Amino acid sequence: LKKVCGGWVEDNWDHGIILNCKDIDIISLCAEHGWKGATLVGNPTAENMAEFLFNKFNELLGKIKSNVEIVHIRLHETPNCWADYGTRDLTWN
């Protein structure tokens, strides 16, 4: 998981800016300056990012024919503020 999923985050999002794909002016500015950036359909809220990562990670794991499936993502904004996304309700302790 760390190699496949963590590697994707490091390569694509780590130390970069995540923008709404409609933010054309800012995307152009980033490209002009060679700044690392990525886009999402919609605003890059924790909720949208969690949903995107859930789907991306399952796609990546499917490509390597893994028997692992992501069923829940929790994306922390701060230590006590997060967004959850998944196909199952989980009880967190």
Side-chain angles (χ1 to χ4, degrees):
L1 285 175
K2 186 173 182 175
K3 182 178 177 183
V4 174
C5 299
W8 186 92
V9 170
E10 188 174 314
D11 292 345
N12 293 279
W13 284 5
D14 194 37
H15 299 287
I17 185 169
I18 304 169
L19 301 166
N20 184 317
C21 65
K22 294 180 180 177
D23 292 331
I24 303 301
D25 292 338
I26 300 173
I27 293 166
S28 296
L29 179 67
C30 291
E32 229 175 82
H33 292 281
W35 298 334
K36 184 177 179 180
T39 59
L40 287 180
V41 174
N43 290 324
T45 63
E47 293 81 7
N48 288 341
M49 292 168 68
E51 180 179 0
F52 177 87
L53 290 174
F54 175 88
N55 293 317
K56 175 55 75 175
F57 291 169
N58 278 312
E59 173 191 325
L60 293 170
L61 292 168
K63 286 182 181 178
I64 63 168
K65 307 225 186 292
S66 168
N67 290 329
V68 175
E69 176 188 5
I70 304 297
V71 297
H72 194 95
I73 293 274
R74 175 168 279 182
L75 182 66
H76 283 260
E77 294 179 300
T78 67
N80 63 349
C81 185
W82 60 83
D84 287 318
Y85 186 86
T87 57
R88 297 185 199 170
D89 288 330
L90 300 178
T91 301
W92 296 91
N93 296 324

XYZ file of all heavy atoms in Angstrom:
744
model
N 0.821 -1.187 0.000
C 0.000 0.000 0.000
C 0.866 1.251 0.000
O 0.590 2.197 -0.734
C -0.929 0.010 1.214
C -2.119 -0.926 1.180
C -2.872 -0.881 2.497
C -3.033 -0.647 0.023
N 1.914 1.244 0.821
C 2.763 2.434 0.892
C 3.444 2.695 -0.445
O 3.506 3.834 -0.892
C 3.804 2.268 2.000
C 4.616 3.514 2.223
C 5.520 3.373 3.426
C 6.281 4.655 3.652
N 7.078 4.612 4.863
N 3.923 1.645 -1.083
C 4.615 1.814 -2.362
C 3.654 2.288 -3.455
O 3.947 3.235 -4.186
C 5.273 0.501 -2.782
C 6.054 0.595 -4.059
C 6.710 -0.741 -4.385
C 7.437 -0.669 -5.708
N 8.020 -1.949 -6.070
N 2.517 1.643 -3.585
C 1.574 1.962 -4.663
C 0.803 3.242 -4.361
O 0.842 4.197 -5.138
C 0.595 0.789 -4.903
C -0.470 1.166 -5.913
C 1.352 -0.451 -5.372
N 0.112 3.299 -3.252
C -0.742 4.446 -2.929
C 0.083 5.634 -2.429
O -0.087 6.760 -2.904
C -1.784 4.051 -1.904
S -2.884 2.720 -2.482
N 0.967 5.365 -1.485
C 1.820 6.439 -0.974
C 2.726 7.000 -2.054
O 2.960 8.208 -2.110
N 3.208 6.128 -2.926
C 4.049 6.579 -4.032
C 3.300 7.499 -4.979
O 3.837 8.500 -5.462
N 2.026 7.177 -5.231
C 1.222 8.029 -6.103
C 1.033 9.409 -5.486
O 1.188 10.427 -6.154
C -0.144 7.393 -6.397
C -0.902 8.207 -7.393
C -0.904 8.039 -8.744
C -1.714 9.355 -7.132
N -1.680 9.021 -9.342
C -2.179 9.838 -8.373
C -2.092 10.025 -5.981
C -3.009 10.954 -8.483
C -2.910 11.143 -6.085
C -3.360 11.590 -7.327
N 0.716 9.453 -4.183
C 0.530 10.738 -3.502
C 1.826 11.545 -3.544
O 1.820 12.735 -3.866
C 0.051 10.541 -2.040
C 0.100 11.846 -1.265
C -1.349 9.954 -2.019
N 2.940 10.900 -3.252
C 4.232 11.594 -3.272
C 4.543 12.141 -4.665
O 4.960 13.292 -4.811
C 5.341 10.646 -2.815
C 6.664 11.344 -2.626
C 7.704 10.417 -2.027
O 7.389 9.703 -1.054
O 8.830 10.420 -2.540
N 4.321 11.344 -5.672
C 4.622 11.766 -7.046
C 3.693 12.857 -7.561
O 4.106 13.703 -8.346
C 4.546 10.577 -8.010
C 5.644 9.555 -7.797
O 6.636 9.874 -7.107
O 5.499 8.428 -8.310
N 2.435 12.827 -7.131
C 1.435 13.704 -7.743
C 0.951 14.868 -6.877
O 0.606 15.919 -7.428
C 0.227 12.871 -8.187
C 0.589 11.939 -9.303
O 0.641 12.334 -10.452
N 0.875 10.684 -8.967
N 0.897 14.690 -5.579
C 0.319 15.734 -4.729
C 1.294 16.325 -3.730
O 1.148 17.470 -3.341
C -0.888 15.203 -3.961
C -2.143 15.062 -4.773
C -2.300 15.255 -6.119
C -3.424 14.696 -4.281
N -3.597 15.023 -6.484
C -4.315 14.677 -5.372
C -3.914 14.375 -3.026
C -5.659 14.358 -5.247
C -5.245 14.055 -2.898
C -6.109 14.050 -3.997
N 2.263 15.556 -3.259
C 3.157 16.011 -2.205
C 3.926 17.252 -2.652
O 4.487 17.288 -3.748
C 4.129 14.881 -1.838
C 4.857 15.141 -0.543
O 4.248 15.702 0.387
O 6.042 14.772 -0.455
N 3.949 18.273 -1.811
C 4.654 19.528 -2.074
C 4.188 20.190 -3.365
O 4.979 20.746 -4.119
C 6.173 19.319 -2.104
C 6.709 18.814 -0.811
N 6.818 19.604 0.306
C 7.139 17.576 -0.451
C 7.306 18.879 1.306
N 7.499 17.654 0.874
N 2.889 20.101 -3.626
C 2.302 20.733 -4.804
C 1.004 21.420 -4.448
O 0.562 21.411 -3.298
N 0.404 22.012 -5.442
C -0.881 22.689 -5.263
C -1.961 21.863 -5.964
O -1.703 21.300 -7.031
C -0.829 24.130 -5.805
C -2.124 24.882 -5.499
C -0.494 24.172 -7.276
C -2.041 26.380 -5.781
N -3.121 21.760 -5.350
C -4.237 21.030 -5.938
C -5.333 22.038 -6.228
O -5.775 22.756 -5.326
C -4.743 19.915 -5.001
C -3.588 18.976 -4.651
C -5.885 19.154 -5.656
C -3.903 18.006 -3.535
N -5.744 22.106 -7.480
C -6.682 23.132 -7.931
C -7.916 22.522 -8.571
O -7.880 21.393 -9.057
C -5.998 24.032 -8.971
C -4.734 24.757 -8.524
C -3.994 25.314 -9.715
C -5.095 25.850 -7.544
N -8.979 23.300 -8.607
C -10.164 22.960 -9.391
C -9.759 23.038 -10.864
O -9.081 23.987 -11.270
C -11.276 23.964 -9.082
C -12.575 23.646 -9.775
O -12.616 23.295 -10.944
N -13.656 23.804 -9.050
N -10.149 22.077 -11.664
C -9.753 22.045 -13.074
C -10.270 23.254 -13.853
O -9.790 23.528 -14.956
C -10.183 20.748 -13.735
S -11.970 20.534 -13.839
N -11.198 24.005 -13.278
C -11.713 25.209 -13.940
C -10.880 26.455 -13.629
O -11.140 27.511 -14.185
C -13.172 25.444 -13.546
C -14.103 24.367 -14.059
C -15.528 24.643 -13.632
C -16.452 23.542 -14.148
N -17.840 23.755 -13.691
N -9.899 26.330 -12.741
C -9.042 27.461 -12.366
C -7.923 27.649 -13.399
O -6.732 27.558 -13.087
C -8.457 27.271 -10.972
C -9.499 27.343 -9.873
O -10.511 28.046 -10.062
O -9.288 26.707 -8.829
N -8.309 27.921 -14.627
C -7.386 27.962 -15.766
C -6.244 28.953 -15.567
O -5.091 28.641 -15.879
C -8.160 28.295 -17.070
C -9.284 27.290 -17.309
C -7.225 28.360 -18.263
C -8.842 25.853 -17.425
N -6.525 30.139 -15.055
C -5.476 31.149 -14.889
C -4.404 30.697 -13.905
O -3.207 30.869 -14.157
C -6.069 32.485 -14.442
C -6.916 33.144 -15.520
O -6.714 32.812 -16.713
O -7.771 33.978 -15.177
N -4.825 30.115 -12.798
C -3.853 29.652 -11.801
C -3.091 28.439 -12.334
O -1.880 28.322 -12.132
C -4.533 29.338 -10.456
C -5.226 30.591 -9.920
C -3.525 28.818 -9.442
C -6.073 30.358 -8.698
N -3.772 27.556 -13.046
C -3.111 26.386 -13.634
C -2.046 26.852 -14.622
O -0.913 26.346 -14.624
C -4.139 25.458 -14.314
C -5.064 24.843 -13.267
C -3.445 24.386 -15.145
C -6.302 24.177 -13.835
N -2.368 27.834 -15.436
C -1.407 28.381 -16.400
C -0.216 29.012 -15.694
O 0.935 28.838 -16.122
C -2.079 29.425 -17.293
O -3.082 28.829 -18.070
N -0.472 29.759 -14.635
C 0.601 30.390 -13.869
C 1.551 29.334 -13.295
O 2.774 29.479 -13.372
C 0.016 31.238 -12.735
C 1.006 31.951 -11.830
C 1.749 33.038 -12.596
C 0.291 32.530 -10.611
N 0.994 28.267 -12.737
C 1.813 27.181 -12.177
C 2.663 26.531 -13.262
O 3.862 26.277 -13.062
C 0.923 26.138 -11.508
S 0.110 26.716 -10.008
N 2.062 26.266 -14.413
C 2.790 25.642 -15.524
C 3.912 26.561 -16.011
O 5.022 26.094 -16.283
C 1.828 25.313 -16.656
N 3.615 27.851 -16.100
C 4.595 28.847 -16.537
C 5.838 28.836 -15.659
O 6.955 28.987 -16.147
C 3.949 30.232 -16.426
C 4.060 31.117 -17.618
C 3.265 32.390 -17.382
O 3.806 33.302 -16.714
O 2.099 32.452 -17.846
N 5.642 28.676 -14.373
C 6.737 28.728 -13.415
C 7.303 27.348 -13.064
O 8.232 27.251 -12.269
C 6.297 29.449 -12.147
C 6.054 30.909 -12.359
N 7.074 31.830 -12.423
C 4.907 31.600 -12.566
C 6.565 33.034 -12.638
N 5.247 32.921 -12.729
N 6.722 26.301 -13.633
C 7.196 24.949 -13.354
C 6.845 24.458 -11.965
O 7.509 23.580 -11.430
N 5.792 25.030 -11.378
C 5.369 24.608 -10.054
C 4.579 23.310 -10.154
O 3.793 23.111 -11.064
C 4.504 25.673 -9.404
C 5.211 26.978 -9.183
C 6.551 27.177 -9.022
C 4.608 28.278 -9.127
N 6.814 28.506 -8.860
C 5.647 29.214 -8.916
C 3.301 28.726 -9.228
C 5.411 30.566 -8.800
C 3.063 30.083 -9.105
C 4.108 30.995 -8.889
N 4.789 22.439 -9.203
C 4.083 21.163 -9.158
C 2.618 21.397 -8.822
O 2.302 22.113 -7.866
C 4.716 20.247 -8.113
C 4.126 18.857 -8.053
C 4.883 18.023 -7.040
C 4.325 16.631 -6.934
N 5.066 15.831 -5.945
N 1.740 20.828 -9.618
C 0.322 20.994 -9.359
C -0.493 19.852 -9.929
O -0.024 19.091 -10.772
N -1.707 19.743 -9.437
C -2.654 18.737 -9.905
C -4.032 19.372 -9.904
O -4.255 20.399 -9.265
C -2.629 17.520 -8.990
N -4.954 18.764 -10.634
C -6.315 19.286 -10.683
C -7.319 18.212 -10.286
O -7.069 17.027 -10.442
C -6.671 19.800 -12.094
O -6.543 18.729 -13.025
C -5.782 20.951 -12.506
N -8.431 18.692 -9.765
C -9.577 17.841 -9.455
C -10.786 18.413 -10.171
O -10.848 19.620 -10.426
C -9.883 17.851 -7.959
C -8.965 17.118 -7.013
C -9.466 17.276 -5.584
C -8.884 15.644 -7.354
N -11.741 17.549 -10.489
C -13.032 18.029 -10.965
C -13.756 18.509 -9.717
O -14.020 17.727 -8.804
C -13.824 16.915 -11.678
C -15.211 17.395 -12.022
C -13.076 16.445 -12.918
N -14.008 19.797 -9.626
C -14.596 20.379 -8.433
C -13.525 20.962 -7.539
O -12.329 20.894 -7.837
N -13.960 21.545 -6.453
C -13.026 22.183 -5.538
C -12.230 21.152 -4.749
O -12.755 20.091 -4.400
C -13.776 23.110 -4.582
C -14.319 24.327 -5.297
O -13.688 24.853 -6.210
N -15.491 24.783 -4.901
N -10.968 21.444 -4.461
C -10.121 20.495 -3.734
C -10.384 20.525 -2.224
O -9.505 20.827 -1.426
C -8.709 20.951 -4.085
C -8.834 22.409 -4.355
C -10.200 22.589 -4.945
N -11.601 20.187 -1.854
C -11.946 20.064 -0.436
C -11.461 18.706 0.069
O -11.200 17.790 -0.722
C -13.467 20.157 -0.241
O -14.078 19.049 -0.929
C -14.029 21.469 -0.778
N -11.369 18.573 1.367
C -10.970 17.276 1.937
C -11.943 16.186 1.508
O -11.532 15.050 1.228
C -10.896 17.371 3.456
N -13.233 16.525 1.429
C -14.242 15.532 1.024
C -14.011 15.071 -0.416
O -14.029 13.860 -0.698
C -15.650 16.129 1.160
C -16.064 16.411 2.589
C -15.507 17.718 3.163
O -14.890 18.517 2.424
O -15.683 17.919 4.375
N -13.767 16.004 -1.316
C -13.522 15.645 -2.725
C -12.193 14.919 -2.896
O -12.081 14.001 -3.708
C -13.569 16.888 -3.610
C -14.962 17.439 -3.778
O -15.949 16.738 -3.545
N -15.063 18.698 -4.160
N -11.192 15.330 -2.134
C -9.890 14.671 -2.216
C -9.975 13.235 -1.693
O -9.389 12.318 -2.272
C -8.847 15.472 -1.450
C -8.532 16.815 -2.104
S -7.577 17.928 -1.047
C -6.012 17.060 -0.963
N -10.720 13.017 -0.610
C -10.887 11.663 -0.060
C -11.582 10.757 -1.068
O -11.166 9.613 -1.285
C -11.667 11.709 1.249
N -12.633 11.272 -1.706
C -13.334 10.477 -2.724
C -12.414 10.175 -3.897
O -12.367 9.037 -4.395
C -14.572 11.211 -3.220
C -15.340 10.440 -4.280
C -16.587 11.154 -4.778
O -16.887 12.275 -4.311
O -17.274 10.579 -5.633
N -11.654 11.164 -4.352
C -10.728 10.952 -5.462
C -9.693 9.884 -5.104
O -9.430 8.971 -5.896
C -10.019 12.261 -5.833
C -9.005 12.085 -6.919
C -9.381 12.167 -8.248
C -7.680 11.794 -6.627
C -8.449 11.969 -9.262
C -6.748 11.592 -7.618
C -7.129 11.681 -8.946
N -9.094 9.995 -3.912
C -8.073 9.025 -3.499
C -8.644 7.620 -3.361
O -7.990 6.646 -3.737
C -7.421 9.464 -2.188
C -6.525 10.691 -2.280
C -6.071 11.113 -0.896
C -5.343 10.445 -3.199
N -9.845 7.506 -2.839
C -10.509 6.205 -2.735
C -10.565 5.530 -4.108
O -10.169 4.374 -4.270
C -11.917 6.405 -2.168
C -12.744 5.155 -2.128
C -12.690 4.324 -1.033
C -13.576 4.802 -3.182
C -13.457 3.163 -0.981
C -14.343 3.654 -3.137
C -14.279 2.833 -2.037
N -11.041 6.260 -5.106
C -11.155 5.710 -6.466
C -9.791 5.485 -7.106
O -9.558 4.447 -7.738
C -12.015 6.628 -7.334
C -13.452 6.645 -6.880
O -14.027 5.616 -6.562
N -14.039 7.824 -6.809
N -8.864 6.422 -6.942
C -7.525 6.297 -7.536
C -6.786 5.107 -6.947
O -6.168 4.319 -7.672
C -6.743 7.590 -7.320
C -5.293 7.545 -7.784
C -5.122 7.141 -9.235
C -5.471 8.214 -10.203
N -5.176 7.839 -11.612
N -6.815 4.947 -5.635
C -6.098 3.845 -4.997
C -6.651 2.492 -5.435
O -5.893 1.559 -5.710
C -6.133 3.970 -3.481
C -5.328 5.122 -2.927
C -5.463 5.479 -1.606
C -4.447 5.847 -3.715
C -4.730 6.536 -1.076
C -3.708 6.908 -3.199
C -3.853 7.246 -1.865
N -7.967 2.369 -5.520
C -8.544 1.105 -5.985
C -8.187 0.845 -7.446
O -7.938 -0.300 -7.827
C -10.046 1.081 -5.749
C -10.370 0.692 -4.320
O -9.844 -0.277 -3.796
N -11.219 1.471 -3.672
N -8.147 1.897 -8.249
C -7.715 1.752 -9.652
C -6.265 1.260 -9.713
O -5.953 0.317 -10.452
C -7.829 3.104 -10.359
C -7.268 3.135 -11.760
C -7.170 4.553 -12.305
O -8.043 5.382 -11.999
O -6.199 4.829 -13.039
N -5.379 1.871 -8.948
C -3.966 1.479 -8.948
C -3.784 0.047 -8.455
O -3.004 -0.718 -9.031
C -3.153 2.434 -8.074
C -3.038 3.868 -8.571
C -2.419 4.761 -7.506
C -2.242 3.931 -9.867
N -4.495 -0.322 -7.399
C -4.384 -1.684 -6.867
C -4.939 -2.707 -7.853
O -4.418 -3.815 -7.966
C -5.090 -1.782 -5.515
C -4.412 -1.006 -4.383
C -5.321 -0.927 -3.170
C -3.070 -1.624 -4.030
N -5.975 -2.339 -8.594
C -6.523 -3.225 -9.624
C -5.543 -3.464 -10.759
O -5.466 -4.559 -11.311
N -4.762 -2.443 -11.106
C -3.778 -2.568 -12.198
C -2.659 -3.536 -11.861
O -2.090 -4.143 -12.755
C -3.192 -1.203 -12.548
C -4.144 -0.327 -13.316
C -3.492 0.996 -13.681
C -4.471 1.872 -14.435
N -3.888 3.189 -14.755
N -2.340 -3.670 -10.576
C -1.280 -4.614 -10.199
C -1.865 -5.965 -9.782
O -1.172 -6.809 -9.250
C -0.365 -4.044 -9.092
C -1.142 -3.786 -7.802
C 0.368 -2.807 -9.560
C -0.271 -3.506 -6.599
N -3.155 -6.121 -10.041
C -3.874 -7.366 -9.750
C -3.724 -7.772 -8.285
O -3.491 -8.925 -7.943
C -3.413 -8.482 -10.680
C -3.488 -8.093 -12.146
C -4.080 -9.171 -12.978
C -4.036 -8.866 -14.450
N -4.845 -7.812 -14.929
N -3.848 -6.784 -7.427
C -3.757 -6.997 -5.990
C -5.074 -7.563 -5.468
O -6.129 -7.306 -6.006
C -3.462 -5.659 -5.314
O -3.632 -5.756 -3.930
N -4.994 -8.331 -4.402
C -6.198 -8.818 -3.727
C -6.670 -7.827 -2.668
O -7.581 -8.122 -1.918
C -5.933 -10.180 -3.071
C -5.753 -11.262 -4.104
O -6.339 -11.201 -5.180
N -4.927 -12.238 -3.797
N -6.038 -6.675 -2.623
C -6.368 -5.648 -1.639
C -7.351 -4.666 -2.254
O -7.217 -4.267 -3.400
C -5.092 -4.906 -1.180
C -5.427 -3.761 -0.243
C -4.128 -5.874 -0.531
N -8.348 -4.272 -1.462
C -9.309 -3.269 -1.895
C -9.430 -2.223 -0.791
O -9.532 -2.564 0.386
C -10.674 -3.914 -2.132
C -11.754 -2.932 -2.485
C -13.134 -3.565 -2.534
O -13.276 -4.752 -2.194
O -14.080 -2.850 -2.896
N -9.394 -0.979 -1.172
C -9.611 0.100 -0.215
C -11.118 0.195 0.019
O -11.897 0.276 -0.925
C -9.081 1.445 -0.758
C -7.599 1.352 -1.134
C -9.347 2.577 0.227
C -6.664 1.052 -0.008
N -11.537 0.155 1.281
C -12.967 0.256 1.593
C -13.301 1.562 2.297
O -14.465 1.930 2.405
C -13.474 -0.947 2.426
C -13.334 -2.227 1.620
C -12.785 -1.025 3.770
N -12.274 2.267 2.768
C -12.525 3.506 3.492
C -11.274 4.379 3.458
O -10.164 3.878 3.594
C -12.884 3.195 4.943
C -13.470 4.355 5.672
N -14.821 4.544 5.774
C -12.896 5.388 6.315
C -15.054 5.642 6.465
N -13.896 6.182 6.801
N -11.487 5.665 3.262
C -10.400 6.653 3.316
C -10.767 7.682 4.369
O -11.914 8.150 4.414
C -10.242 7.386 1.958
C -9.753 6.460 0.864
C -9.381 8.631 2.081
C -8.264 6.295 0.766
N -9.828 8.038 5.204
C -9.981 9.164 6.121
C -8.843 10.122 5.827
O -7.673 9.779 5.961
C -9.932 8.711 7.573
C -9.963 9.895 8.548
C -10.208 9.478 9.960
N -11.662 9.263 10.111
C -12.234 8.921 11.247
N -11.513 8.743 12.333
N -13.545 8.736 11.297
N -9.198 11.327 5.417
C -8.219 12.348 5.072
C -8.283 13.447 6.122
O -9.305 14.115 6.267
C -8.513 12.915 3.679
C -7.549 13.948 3.156
C -6.171 13.341 2.919
C -8.075 14.555 1.870
N -7.187 13.612 6.852
C -7.128 14.607 7.917
C -6.737 15.969 7.361
O -5.762 16.093 6.630
C -6.110 14.200 8.980
C -6.609 13.147 9.890
N -7.105 13.409 11.141
C -6.701 11.801 9.731
C -7.475 12.296 11.720
N -7.250 11.294 10.883
N -7.507 16.991 7.737
C -7.143 18.385 7.473
C -6.306 18.914 8.638
O -5.344 19.640 8.442
C -8.388 19.253 7.325
C -9.214 18.917 6.112
C -10.453 19.783 6.014
O -11.285 19.752 6.937
O -10.566 20.490 5.000
N -6.711 18.566 9.826
C -6.025 18.899 11.074
C -6.157 17.664 11.970
O -6.871 16.724 11.622
C -6.671 20.121 11.770
O -7.984 19.751 12.215
C -6.748 21.336 10.849
N -5.498 17.655 13.129
C -5.630 16.489 14.008
C -7.066 16.155 14.415
O -7.382 15.000 14.680
C -4.787 16.872 15.232
C -3.763 17.810 14.692
C -4.495 18.607 13.632
N -7.957 17.149 14.462
C -9.330 16.855 14.887
C -10.373 17.214 13.831
O -11.543 17.365 14.146
C -9.642 17.551 16.217
C -9.564 19.059 16.099
O -9.090 19.594 15.102
N -10.011 19.751 17.119
N -9.968 17.319 12.584
C -10.889 17.633 11.497
C -10.528 16.782 10.282
O -9.397 16.826 9.815
C -10.789 19.126 11.165
S -11.966 19.671 9.929
N -11.481 15.996 9.794
C -11.189 15.082 8.694
C -12.422 14.860 7.839
O -13.527 15.228 8.187
C -10.675 13.743 9.227
C -11.641 13.049 10.122
C -12.697 12.257 9.758
C -11.658 13.079 11.544
N -13.369 11.792 10.855
C -12.752 12.286 11.971
C -10.854 13.693 12.499
C -13.041 12.097 13.311
C -11.155 13.501 13.832
C -12.233 12.712 14.229
N -12.177 14.204 6.698
C -13.263 13.788 5.810
C -13.140 12.288 5.606
O -12.044 11.766 5.413
C -13.163 14.517 4.477
N -14.265 11.600 5.639
C -14.314 10.157 5.410
C -15.013 9.879 4.092
O -15.967 10.575 3.722
C -15.116 9.461 6.515
C -14.383 9.404 7.836
O -13.177 9.130 7.835
O -15.024 9.636 8.885
N -14.548 8.838 3.409
C -15.221 8.377 2.200
C -14.998 6.878 2.098
O -13.884 6.394 2.330
C -14.669 9.058 0.939
C -15.464 8.687 -0.285
C -16.607 9.391 -0.627
C -15.099 7.588 -1.074
C -17.361 9.027 -1.731
C -15.860 7.225 -2.172
C -16.979 7.950 -2.494
O -17.750 7.584 -3.582
N -16.058 6.138 1.762
C -15.885 4.708 1.623
C -17.168 4.002 1.245
O -18.223 4.605 1.129
N -17.019 2.694 1.056
C -18.156 1.871 0.673
C -18.783 1.173 1.861
O -19.803 0.516 1.713
C -17.707 0.792 -0.339
O -16.655 0.012 0.247
C -17.231 1.430 -1.627
N -18.163 1.298 3.026
C -18.699 0.656 4.214
C -18.653 1.622 5.383
O -17.753 2.436 5.494
C -17.846 -0.557 4.601
C -17.815 -1.635 3.581
C -17.069 -2.817 4.101
N -16.655 -3.648 2.968
C -15.823 -4.646 3.052
N -15.282 -4.944 4.204
N -15.511 -5.344 1.995
N -19.603 1.481 6.274
C -19.541 2.225 7.529
C -18.599 1.460 8.458
O -18.765 0.266 8.665
C -20.919 2.336 8.174
C -21.829 3.275 7.443
O -21.317 4.242 6.837
O -23.054 3.059 7.464
N -17.643 2.157 8.987
C -16.682 1.536 9.886
C -16.788 2.168 11.262
O -17.086 3.362 11.375
C -15.259 1.707 9.370
C -14.974 1.115 7.995
C -13.530 1.424 7.605
C -15.176 -0.395 8.010
N -16.525 1.396 12.285
C -16.480 1.934 13.630
C -15.015 2.206 13.949
O -14.179 1.319 13.854
C -17.050 0.929 14.645
O -18.398 0.650 14.271
C -17.005 1.486 16.047
N -14.735 3.454 14.274
C -13.360 3.861 14.602
C -13.220 3.968 16.121
O -14.043 4.559 16.772
C -13.031 5.207 13.960
C -13.059 5.131 12.483
C -14.137 5.367 11.677
C -12.008 4.765 11.617
N -13.794 5.184 10.369
C -12.493 4.819 10.301
C -10.685 4.398 11.815
C -11.700 4.515 9.206
C -9.900 4.107 10.716
C -10.409 4.158 9.430
N -12.164 3.384 16.636
C -11.893 3.458 18.078
C -10.842 4.500 18.340
O -9.994 4.773 17.618
C -11.432 2.108 18.613
C -12.528 1.073 18.464
O -13.708 1.389 18.616
N -12.161 -0.156 18.173
